[in-house]
Structure formats: C-alpha cells, structure tokens
Amino acid sequence: MSNGHLSHKKEKIMKKSALRLVSTSLLALAVGFQAPIVRAEMVTTPDAATHNTEDADRAKVLQFMEQANVKERLQAMGVDGLAATERVAALDQQEIHALAQRIDSMPAGGAISTMEWILIVMIAILVVVAL
Amino acid sequence: MKRCLGALAALALAACTSLPPGQWGAPATGPLPERAERADAPFYPQEDYQCGPAALATALGSAGLRRSPEELRDEVYLPARQGSLQPEMLASARRSGTVAYRLAPEPQALLKELAAGHPVVVLQNLRFDWAPVWHYAVAVGYDLPAQQVVLRSGREQRLVMSLDAFDRSWAKSDRWAFVALPPDRLPASADEADYVAAVVALERVAPAAAETAYRTALTAWPRNLLARIGLGNTAYRRGDRDAAEAAFRQAAADHPEAGDAWNNLAQVLHERGQDAAARDAAERAIATGGPRLPTYRRTLDLVSGR
C-alpha cells in the first residue's frame, strides 16, 4: 500500500520533470539554439539572508551555552553539555531566533542575572523537549 | 495636537516598561555639531488622525521624492484603527524606492542622522504607558546647548521640544525610529548587517533601487557577502549577465565557503555557454554543503545537461 503510494508519487514527479523538460526544450527551440536555458536554480537574496541569520542565531545560542557558569547550571539541571549542543542544532529556526533575540536583549555582565536564569531554564526545557 | 494611534505598538508594548533615560551627550566616537537642522524638510499639516502619512511624506520629500499624504494614505492608514502600523510605514517607504532603515533605539543614532541631514521618523507616546496615545512625527534637527529637538509634528511646522520631554515620549515606544533614504545614501548610524537586511527587504519591491543600495553597502563594506550576492541577483534579474557574473565571482573569491555564490555563478556561466566552468562552480557549491545542498545538486544536473 505504502509502496504503491510511493511509486505513484515518483511517477508524478517524473511526469512533472518530463513536462518541464519538454516545455524548456520547446522554449529553447522557439528562442533559437543560441539562447541558453534560463531555468532558475538561483538562490534569491532573501534565501541567502535567512541562512546567514539562522547560522548567526545558532552560533549565538551555542556561544551563550559555552559560558562556564551557564554550562555548570545546565549540568546541574541534568542537561549534559555535549548532548545539549547537538540538540540546539535540532531546534527549528523560530525557536533559535527567539532564544538569540533574548540573548541580545540581555544586559552584558559577569554575574548571572534573573534574565539569564530565565533563559537557562528556557534552553533546558527546549533541549529536553527536543530529546 | 490631534492624537494618532500606532495600533501595533500598543500591542507590542502592552507588557513593557519604559526604557531608562537615554544618553544625549556628545558621543565618544566623534564630536557632533552643536546644532543641526534640515530647514527645507517639507511640512504637511496632519489631517484628522493621519500622522502616519504626513510623517512619511515629510521623510520621503526630504529624500527628494514628492509624494503627498493623500497618496500615501491608502498605503499606510487604517481607518478602523485611526492609525498606521509600524511595518506598513516601513513597507510604504520601500515601495517609494527608499531604503527604510530602523535606527538603533538610542539618542546617539538619532543625533547622528540629524547631523547628517537625514530627517528621522519617530514614534512617540504622548500620554501614559497604560493609556497610550501614539503619534508619528519627524525629527528634523537638534540644538545641544539649548537641549532641544526640532520636529515636524501634527499641525506644527516647527515644534521645539526639550530633549527631556521628547526622550520620555520616545522611550515609551522603545525609541522606535527610522530613516527613509535614497539608495545611494548610507545612514550616518548604519550597522553593516542591519543596513544590508534593509536593502534585502527593498529588493522584493524595488529591485532597481536595491541594486544601487547594494553598491552603497559595498562601498562601505566591500566584503559583505549578502550585499555582493544581492548585487549579482539584481543585475541578473535585469538581464545584465556581465555584471551578475562579476558580482558572483567576487563573492565566491571573497568567501570560498559561500555555496550560494558558487551556485549562482554556475547558473550565469551556464547561461553564457561556459559549461565546463559552470560545472566547476556547481561542484564547488556542492562541496560547501549547507542547507541548500539539494539546490546546488539540481544546478549541477542542469549545467551538466543531465
């Protein structure tokens, strides 16, 4: 049953790409042989941008978790350092962005403030839920 | 002064407390002139609750674009809320072909822009946190010895407020402010990533203006990857493959780890009939991996004629 469904899907995709090939070749014929095929697999600027900020967000969260005092607190809550890092990689873009924004809005300073405590607990919850 | 609601601000700020008083002294980074004012910034007396369109018209007019508040009203005014939403103010500035750049929420950023002759649209709360009256105005100048800000506001062509009173009203919006500048002009307080992000948002609605603004960004930060890719994409969209290829080549040279740059370079080379070079570029893209690997693979298939 699931196999049949899959092959049906595959067939559909093949039909689609065959159609695409036919239409692009027709277009190429119509425009003349010299005209290159303008088929955009171009990465748009907004796409390139999401990638950048997502990476930056992830780096920010990881960097925060790498701080010795934060690491210690997370471990005290039963979240192991190495595993936690892996799970951060698994969080989706929105969650990561929300965390990174919170880190940004925190005042910089040495001691752990209430804000940071809240953040540490949030990370702990997110990471444990993602298990 | 007639009131004017920024509905979204009210929502966003429901749970916020006001910021502490800001630093209005001269910045450490460089001395500002004691006084500055764009006396030629146009004035449009506000009608009813429409401070949004009036403020926007002043900002755009200062950037050299004549657009009347009546014209802008349809883009930014919500009759049911008797106000204009902040994102729509930014979107409308973009539709007019300017770069809408949000300032860092601090007095120094505002002063820097005013010193450079860039009027700043600000969101103020003229009453209390618990009963807000939101109002858009345009700061056009300041006088530091006299501790004053000059605004185009409501029906007042030249409203002079003390820095203290102004800062209190502005802090209640978390110091929300933006400049709308022609694409060849960099904001005086521009941050690299923020400015390029503002140009990416412009590219969706005004690609020609965005292309100029990418150049402006690259003059200030020649190695910015996103601006370089944006420059290539806007050139490509207008059919200029020479310029597109040059931009993607530069992006890939500056950032060999940038798969997107290699991928787009491969596309352009392919379209120019340089298939061997296109295949090389596509392979470089694939080697970088990353979340768009499937796209890079499709590009390789395409340029290999598979």
Side-chain angles (χ1 to χ4, degrees):
Chain A
M1 164 83 189
S2 69
N3 246 343
H5 182 66
L6 258 180
S7 63
H8 180 63
K9 225 177 167 183
K10 243 185 189 168
E11 207 178 271
K12 245 183 153 175
I13 291 169
M14 278 174 66
K15 262 190 191 161
K16 236 184 173 175
S17 50
L19 258 178
R20 192 194 276 175
L21 193 68
V22 169
S23 59
T24 42
S25 340
L26 274 178
L27 187 73
L29 271 177
V31 184
F33 278 119
Q34 286 306 308
I37 301 167
V38 186
R39 246 309 292 163
E41 294 295 357
M42 297 283 277
V43 176
T44 65
T45 327
D47 278 349
T50 29
H51 176 42
N52 279 355
T53 56
E54 199 186 331
D55 276 2
D57 283 347
R58 258 176 231 285
K60 200 172 282 167
V61 173
L62 285 173
Q63 202 186 356
F64 176 79
M65 292 172 63
E66 280 304 307
Q67 288 172 28
N69 50 2
V70 174
K71 225 176 189 171
E72 209 172 277
R73 302 291 155 185
L74 279 171
Q75 253 157 11
M77 282 185 262
V79 180
D80 178 45
L82 204 70
T85 314
E86 270 171 37
R87 308 244 162 73
V88 166
L91 295 179
D92 80 14
Q93 202 182 323
Q94 274 181 333
E95 290 163 339
I96 282 290
H97 188 61
L99 285 176
Q101 267 186 327
R102 260 163 234 265
I103 292 173
D104 274 341
S105 67
M106 283 186 323
I112 294 188
S113 66
T114 327
M115 274 290 285
E116 282 174 294
W117 264 113
I118 296 172
L119 193 65
I120 292 170
V121 173
M122 266 186 60
I123 290 178
I125 292 171
L126 273 174
V127 163
V128 170
V129 166
L131 262 165
Chain B
M1 193 183 300
K2 294 219 174 188
R3 71 180 179 143
C4 178
L5 300 170
L8 199 76
L11 282 177
L13 293 174
C16 279
T17 50
S18 293
L19 300 174
Q23 291 296 315
W24 289 90
T29 47
L32 287 169
E34 288 190 333
R35 294 173 195 84
E37 184 169 347
R38 265 298 287 273
D40 66 337
F43 172 61
Y44 299 94
Q46 166 192 336
E47 283 170 30
D48 296 331
Y49 300 108
Q50 301 174 12
C51 61
L56 200 53
T58 293
L60 293 175
S62 311
L65 292 159
R66 293 257 155 256
R67 296 203 65 191
S68 68
E70 291 72 38
E71 247 179 281
L72 294 165
R73 192 176 51 201
D74 294 339
E75 291 182 14
V76 298
Y77 184 68
L78 296 174
R81 304 303 300 259
Q82 295 184 331
S84 304
L85 300 175
Q86 290 142 283
E88 288 191 299
M89 294 284 284
L90 299 173
S92 178
R94 286 182 201 120
R95 275 199 290 267
S96 306
T98 61
V99 180
Y101 179 77
R102 284 271 312 272
L103 301 193
E106 56 197 32
Q108 291 306 329
L110 179 87
L111 293 178
K112 265 191 211 166
E113 296 301 338
L114 294 177
H118 304 156
V120 179
V121 179
V122 292
L123 181 66
Q124 297 168 281
N125 177 359
L126 302 177
R127 291 248 186 93
F128 314 105
D129 286 335
W130 46 272
V133 174
W134 298 106
H135 178 68
Y136 292 109
V138 184
V140 295
Y142 66 84
D143 183 332
L144 285 180
Q147 292 284 292
Q148 288 169 340
V149 179
V150 183
L151 303 143
R152 304 264 183 278
S153 176
R155 293 184 173 278
E156 304 220 35
Q157 173 149 18
R158 193 171 182 281
L159 175 69
V160 179
M161 276 184 97
S162 76
L163 283 183
D164 268 357
F166 171 75
D167 192 42
R168 255 177 280 127
S169 68
W170 185 36
K172 287 177 190 154
S173 75
D174 280 350
R175 297 203 180 86
W176 192 86
F178 75 95
V179 288
L181 294 180
D184 58 355
R185 240 188 132 83
L186 198 66
S189 66
D191 165 85
E192 178 172 352
D194 291 346
Y195 183 75
V196 175
V199 182
V200 174
L202 177 65
E203 188 188 320
R204 296 170 207 254
V205 286
E211 189 172 354
T212 308
Y214 284 131
R215 277 184 214 290
T216 306
L218 289 165
T219 307
W221 308 286
R223 285 179 51 85
N224 187 285
L225 173 63
L226 195 52
R228 192 67 73 181
I229 288 182
L231 184 65
N233 281 345
T234 45
Y236 176 82
R237 193 166 351 169
R238 127 182 111 64
D240 185 345
R241 294 209 182 98
D242 283 343
E245 182 188 331
F248 295 136
R249 262 190 205 291
Q250 187 67 48
D254 289 345
H255 302 271
E257 78 293 349
D260 296 340
W262 288 112
N263 176 77
N264 289 10
L265 177 62
Q267 281 286 337
V268 176
L269 289 172
H270 170 62
E271 288 172 24
R272 311 194 81 179
Q274 302 176 30
D275 280 343
R279 260 197 308 280
D280 285 349
E283 271 155 12
R284 291 291 299 261
I286 289 171
T288 67
R292 273 183 292 285
L293 192 54
T295 306
Y296 307 158
R297 291 223 168 91
R298 282 198 297 278
T299 298
L300 181 62
D301 286 352
L302 178 82
V303 303
S304 314
R306 272 180 243 161

